[in-house]
Amino acid sequence: MKQERPQAAKQDPKERIKNFDSVSLGLSEEQAQAEAKRCLQCKKPLCVKGCPVEVDIPAFVKLIADGKFGQAAEKIKEKNNLPIICGRVCPQETQCEVECVLKNKAAPIAIGALERFCSEWQLNLQKHSKPKTNVTEGGNKVKLAVVGSGPAGLTCAADLAKMGYSVTIFESLHKPGGVLVYGIPEFRLPKSIVESEIDYIKSLGVQLRENVLVGKTITLPELFSQGYKAIFIAVGAGLPQFLGIPGENLDRVYSANEFLTRVNLMKAYLFPEYDTPINIGKRVAIIGAGNVALDAARCALRLGADESIIVYRRSQKEMPARLEEIEHAQEEGVKFHLLTLPTDIIPDENGYVKALKCLKMRLGEEDASGRRRPMPIEGSDFVLGVDTVVVAIGQRPNPLITKATAELKTGKHGIIIADEKTQATNLKGVFAGGDITTGAATVISAMGAGKRAARAMDDYIRRN
Amino acid sequence: MNQILKKEKLAENIKKITIEAPEIAAKAQAGQFVSLIVDKKGERIPLTIVESDRQKGTITLIFLEVGKTTFKLGKLEKGDNIVSLLGPLGKPTHIDRLGTVVTVGGGVGIAEVFPVTRAFKEAHNDVISIIGARSKNLLILEEPLRQVSDKLFVTTDDGSYGQKGFVSDVLKELLERQTKIDLVYAVGPVPMMRVVCEVTRPYKIKTLVSLNPIMVDATGMCGSCRVNVGGETKFGCVDGPEFDGHLVDFVELQKRLGQFCRQEESSRECCRKK
């Protein structure tokens, strides 16, 4: 009999679109233990190979099966400094779980749900155990700087602190977490969880300095002259892209970054208790179909929109968002206008959005990305009545630090060029990783880069 | 951190505060700004750095109490702290020896032209300043500007002080009298900047304006501050805040500034009731 994976309890879609609380409530102890017992404990576990930060998956799953939930959480933390976050937002279906040998006979082990379960179980006990610090010879007291406090920066800082370095993270916003706090909404990743993960990293001795914009407040050469021996740049991809179509500067046209930053970081959903406003109408179109687009679409419903419509030029198959998120969005009533290309944003007499002029598309030959290229169907133009538009077609690397540091070698779209294995840049003692070196990608791939950089920085310090 | 060391009332609803901010003071140049949050639930707003003192490690801001945030900022006293302060942001003004520079400030915009006026003066330009307010009691920084200008003109809309009329009237007269002008630099309400640009356009005199669009992060990440400059979309926070005034779409700018009017209104009301 083909065994199914346990289904975590979820908030009812009708209820949850009225609040910003967590959608998935996580597994119960019984569910988690039963699921963990399904694990075959492979001698050569393929799942670990799928994990960018090399978590010892069979070991922590075994501990859950044995009811040792706290120990399971500690096991994950040996490699992964942000386990609850990964449990919630990692695309396990394309990483560890896709490698699980059970996937052919039954469903793969729900590794992500188990990771979240034991880490949250431990958090609820408020037992953030102080990890043993492993001080490397000569590494102690050496000052290192990390620029940016998103997943890559936090991971690198935590690993370096565990090695005994004195690490300071510089963050430009007033709150640490990067995309975890400004981008991913509360209902997918509660900010209290991000805070507790960051508290854990601080408990390792990492110093955090908010409101410092490296490149403006302080430059890379100045950091070196202040005694930092090496620097890791992890400033992310936060430069919003626009379509370049008429009407894009109308009122109530937002970049996804602006929309989500207002809602998540600045808590516009609690306006006027919080001071930052958001102005949306009743019919919101979100252009794009990645995770960011779906986050914006689901936020729009929670902010009171009657209709939230994804407008995407390709078909469902090509949507870059995680399947789980697409399903959640569908359950909540987000509508999908696929194979649709917006060409104009039409204003009303007051300069607000009145409608979106679109073209119908069909799929042609495969393009460079391996996806079938969308082609406009002649004479298929139509008008979609909407009063708010969110442009969620991707972000490019933040250009501030590279503009301020002309010697730093950059590549396509302004990414910083870094070595794949060591994350080293062309500048001595300067490393870079995460979205700033890849363009917008995932939390976990950024964390993997943070880990590689930490190792390479340690190596660099020992050699110099 | 970010402690208010000095506070002064310059005019009705216009306040000046000096804040301890050594890192920002060490870097700040004329034309740059900070992004600040007044309290824990506050929004981020941009304000021009009017003065910075490297030795003392302080910066000075001048603001008009117009929305909830500036009202709350105005309520803080000496010894209070601002929750968050980021800077210096934006591109500094390109200061050079150009010849004759006219700086034009309207309302609280006078505070913003002050550091630029001084910088042009220090670069050995002939500096003519034109400042204006609705009426005498709203006029600020007349003396400090006089000290850094070769000539200073003052206007008030109601004629209660200086010449009756607008700053743009004085600029027009200067041009009609064939004063040789190499650069005009204007800061103030959008309609004022627009008129100044229309006045200089036929004379083909380079005219810079420093814009104050709505910003959230103010570091180039949200795009809230996008401005149409010569048909291209620019971000006020990182590409600006200064732009060639002859290329700025002021109509769009004015519209975008009003985008949250209704929310701001309700926000201010509940602030007043408290």
Side-chain angles (χ1 to χ4, degrees):
Chain A
M1 192 182 81
K2 195 165 172 170
Q3 198 169 351
E4 286 305 318
R5 284 151 53 113
Q7 289 299 315
K10 278 196 261 180
Q11 257 203 91
D12 185 292
K14 284 198 200 79
E15 282 308 308
R16 73 187 191 228
I17 59 166
K18 296 178 201 153
N19 65 56
F20 274 77
D21 299 340
S22 268
V23 167
S24 165
L25 306 173
L27 300 177
S28 67
E29 288 187 16
E30 296 72 28
Q31 281 179 313
Q33 241 177 318
E35 176 66 0
K37 282 177 181 157
R38 279 205 310 130
C39 176
L40 300 178
Q41 293 291 315
C42 305
K43 285 235 169 62
K44 284 184 187 162
L46 296 174
C47 52
V48 180
K49 281 194 188 147
C51 175
V53 298
E54 306 147 20
V55 167
D56 188 346
I57 294 165
F60 96 76
V61 172
K62 177 78 170 55
L63 286 164
I64 292 177
D66 295 344
K68 296 170 183 166
F69 305 139
Q71 285 179 43
E74 285 304 317
K75 182 50 84 184
I76 298 173
K77 274 197 202 144
E78 286 174 12
K79 295 284 175 143
N80 183 342
N81 299 303
L82 307 168
I84 309 180
I85 292 169
C86 288
R88 284 178 179 251
V89 304
C90 250
Q92 292 95 7
E93 64 279 8
T94 60
Q95 299 189 139
C96 51
E97 293 177 8
V98 75
E99 303 288 347
C100 179
V101 293
L102 283 175
K103 71 172 185 286
N104 299 324
K105 285 193 217 149
I109 296 289
I111 300 168
L114 290 176
E115 177 180 37
R116 174 179 162 182
F117 163 76
C118 65
S119 311
E120 290 192 356
W121 185 90
Q122 192 196 38
L123 178 68
N124 288 339
L125 277 191
Q126 296 292 320
K127 262 196 204 163
H128 253 158
S129 60
K130 281 237 166 162
K132 294 171 225 126
T133 47
N134 175 19
V135 181
T136 47
E137 218 177 301
N140 204 4
K141 298 274 157 74
V142 172
K143 276 169 67 177
L144 301 176
V146 170
V147 186
S149 65
L154 289 173
T155 300
C156 182
D159 275 12
L160 290 169
K162 284 178 182 169
M163 295 174 195
Y165 289 101
S166 167
V167 187
T168 305
I169 304 181
F170 297 90
E171 166 58 46
S172 69
L173 290 171
H174 56 285
K175 270 189 200 155
V179 72
L180 305 172
V181 292
Y182 75 73
I184 304 176
E186 181 77 19
F187 54 84
R188 233 166 32 96
L189 183 62
K191 301 312 143 204
S192 61
I193 281 177
V194 180
E195 266 170 45
S196 64
E197 300 260 59
I198 288 170
D199 284 345
Y200 162 73
I201 285 167
K202 282 188 191 162
S203 79
L204 300 171
V206 172
Q207 301 286 315
L208 240 164
R209 288 208 49 207
E210 292 94 350
N211 297 307
V212 179
L213 182 58
V214 174
K216 285 280 184 190
T217 317
I218 192 164
T219 61
L220 296 184
E222 284 166 343
L223 283 174
F224 280 120
S225 64
Q226 285 189 7
Y228 292 97
K229 299 293 179 203
I231 302 169
F232 179 55
I233 303 172
V235 294
L239 179 69
Q241 297 298 293
F242 289 93
L243 292 150
I245 61 174
E248 224 165 1
N249 290 350
L250 292 174
D251 287 354
R252 282 200 195 140
V253 179
Y254 298 94
S255 74
N257 257 14
E258 179 184 358
F259 188 77
L260 292 173
T261 301
R262 284 181 180 276
V263 175
N264 300 323
L265 176 71
M266 304 310 296
K267 304 218 181 298
Y269 68 94
L270 298 173
F271 179 88
E273 185 198 342
Y274 281 74
D275 295 346
T276 304
I278 185 98
N279 179 357
I280 70 159
K282 288 291 165 199
R283 275 169 67 87
V284 180
I286 296 91
I287 301 169
N291 289 320
V292 170
L294 292 192
D295 283 346
R298 296 168 69 195
C299 280
L301 288 177
R302 285 159 172 81
L303 292 168
D306 291 339
E307 274 183 273
S308 179
I309 308 157
I310 290 277
V311 177
Y312 182 49
R313 65 197 178 117
R314 303 182 195 247
S315 73
Q316 171 143 7
K317 205 178 127 214
E318 288 84 19
M319 285 171 61
R322 292 182 67 192
L323 189 62
E324 183 184 328
E325 301 307 331
I326 296 171
E327 284 168 5
H328 283 164
Q330 283 166 337
E331 285 168 14
E332 289 170 11
V334 171
K335 297 195 171 120
F336 292 80
H337 271 259
L338 304 176
L339 291 166
T340 303
L341 179 78
T343 56
D344 269 286
I345 306 173
I346 302 166
D348 70 6
E349 59 283 5
N350 298 315
Y352 283 88
V353 175
K354 190 171 91 180
L356 201 57
K357 204 171 155 193
C358 304
L359 270 178
K360 279 278 172 206
M361 309 291 275
R362 62 180 173 79
L363 292 178
E365 299 295 308
E366 275 186 15
D367 64 11
S369 71
R371 298 180 296 180
R372 292 178 64 191
R373 188 193 303 274
M375 317 277 279
I377 300 171
E378 238 176 89
S380 67
D381 51 305
F382 69 100
V383 169
L384 188 64
V386 295
D387 51 23
T388 308
V389 173
V390 179
V391 182
I393 55 167
Q395 293 82 237
R396 294 245 167 105
N398 279 330
L400 249 162
I401 215 163
T402 48
K403 271 188 192 157
T405 322
E407 319 83 73
L408 199 57
K409 221 170 147 186
T410 54
K412 202 179 170 194
H413 303 318
I415 59 163
I416 295 177
I417 295 178
D419 185 276
E420 271 177 31
K421 290 202 179 75
T422 65
Q423 305 299 137
T425 68
N426 65 311
L427 298 183
K428 191 170 185 274
V430 179
F431 299 76
D435 283 0
I436 188 67
T437 59
T438 57
T442 60
V443 167
I444 190 71
S445 70
M447 290 173 61
K451 273 197 116 52
R452 286 192 296 280
R455 247 178 256 157
M457 287 165 85
D458 176 45
D459 191 48
Y460 167 82
I461 295 296
R462 285 157 181 270
R463 281 189 289 107
N464 285 276
Chain B
M1 287 258 275
N2 317 325
Q3 194 180 43
I4 296 177
L5 304 174
K6 239 165 90 183
K7 181 184 171 188
E8 233 180 291
K9 185 174 166 180
L10 298 185
E12 192 56 41
N13 288 341
I14 300 182
K15 290 185 177 145
K16 172 177 166 180
I17 52 173
T18 300
I19 309 169
E20 180 192 21
E23 281 180 313
I24 300 173
K27 280 280 164 65
Q29 288 174 265
Q32 291 189 295
F33 63 97
V34 291
S35 170
L36 65 82
I37 305 177
V38 176
D39 57 29
K40 262 173 78 184
K41 294 182 177 175
E43 63 182 334
R44 297 171 71 99
I45 62 157
L47 284 176
T48 301
I49 302 169
V50 178
E51 276 182 279
S52 57
D53 186 324
R54 269 159 221 223
Q55 262 80 45
K56 290 186 189 149
T58 60
I59 60 165
T60 299
L61 309 175
I62 293 176
F63 55 93
L64 174 69
E65 292 167 328
V66 63
K68 186 176 181 184
T69 302
T70 43
F71 273 113
K72 287 203 292 193
L73 187 60
K75 279 189 186 140
L76 296 185
E77 297 296 339
K78 186 181 160 182
D80 288 341
N81 294 292
I82 290 166
V83 157
S84 131
L85 185 66
L86 177 72
L89 304 173
K91 290 184 178 163
T93 309
H94 180 70
I95 303 290
D96 213 339
R97 188 173 181 177
L98 301 168
T100 302
V101 177
V102 178
T103 59
V104 187
V108 76
I110 298 171
E112 294 163 34
V113 300
F114 173 70
V116 174
T117 307
R118 184 166 63 185
F120 275 118
K121 184 66 204 154
E122 283 168 0
H124 307 291
N125 290 284
D126 279 328
V127 178
I128 302 170
S129 302
I130 309 169
I131 59 172
R134 282 209 313 277
S135 66
K136 189 186 175 188
N137 62 338
L138 294 170
L139 187 77
I140 59 168
L141 300 184
E142 183 188 356
E143 267 323 299
L145 266 158
R146 196 180 298 281
Q147 282 169 28
V148 295
S149 312
D150 294 284
K151 251 188 217 152
L152 177 81
F153 296 92
V154 179
T155 66
T156 50
D157 298 6
D158 62 1
S160 54
Y161 188 67
Q163 183 178 328
K164 185 176 192 301
F166 302 113
V167 283
S168 49
D169 299 339
V170 176
L171 181 63
K172 209 170 176 179
E173 286 158 24
L174 285 177
L175 288 167
E176 280 164 1
R177 272 186 272 140
Q178 287 168 9
T179 314
K180 187 188 143 296
I181 298 173
D182 299 288
L183 176 76
V184 171
Y185 186 97
V187 191
V190 172
M192 179 215 106
M193 290 191 283
R194 199 182 69 215
V195 172
V196 164
C197 291
E198 287 321 310
V199 168
T200 58
R201 195 189 298 275
Y203 296 89
K204 297 197 169 79
I205 295 168
K206 185 164 185 189
T207 304
L208 291 176
V209 290
S210 179
L211 306 181
N212 191 12
I214 296 171
M215 297 181 189
V216 185
D217 65 285
T219 64
M221 285 174 54
C222 77
S224 182
C225 62
R226 55 199 194 276
V227 184
N228 184 337
V229 183
E232 255 184 84
T233 294
K234 299 280 185 189
F235 285 2
C237 64
V238 289
D239 300 323
E242 282 167 25
F243 294 104
D244 181 341
H246 292 148
L247 299 178
V248 169
D249 183 341
F250 287 106
V251 176
E252 183 188 284
L253 177 68
Q254 184 79 62
K255 262 194 196 127
R256 289 189 61 79
L257 280 168
Q259 190 166 188
F260 299 98
C261 254
R262 220 184 52 224
Q263 286 85 350
E264 282 161 5
E265 196 68 31
S266 72
S267 195
R268 196 163 51 226
E269 281 315 306
C270 64
C271 171
R272 275 190 186 139
K273 276 175 204 154
K274 279 182 192 169

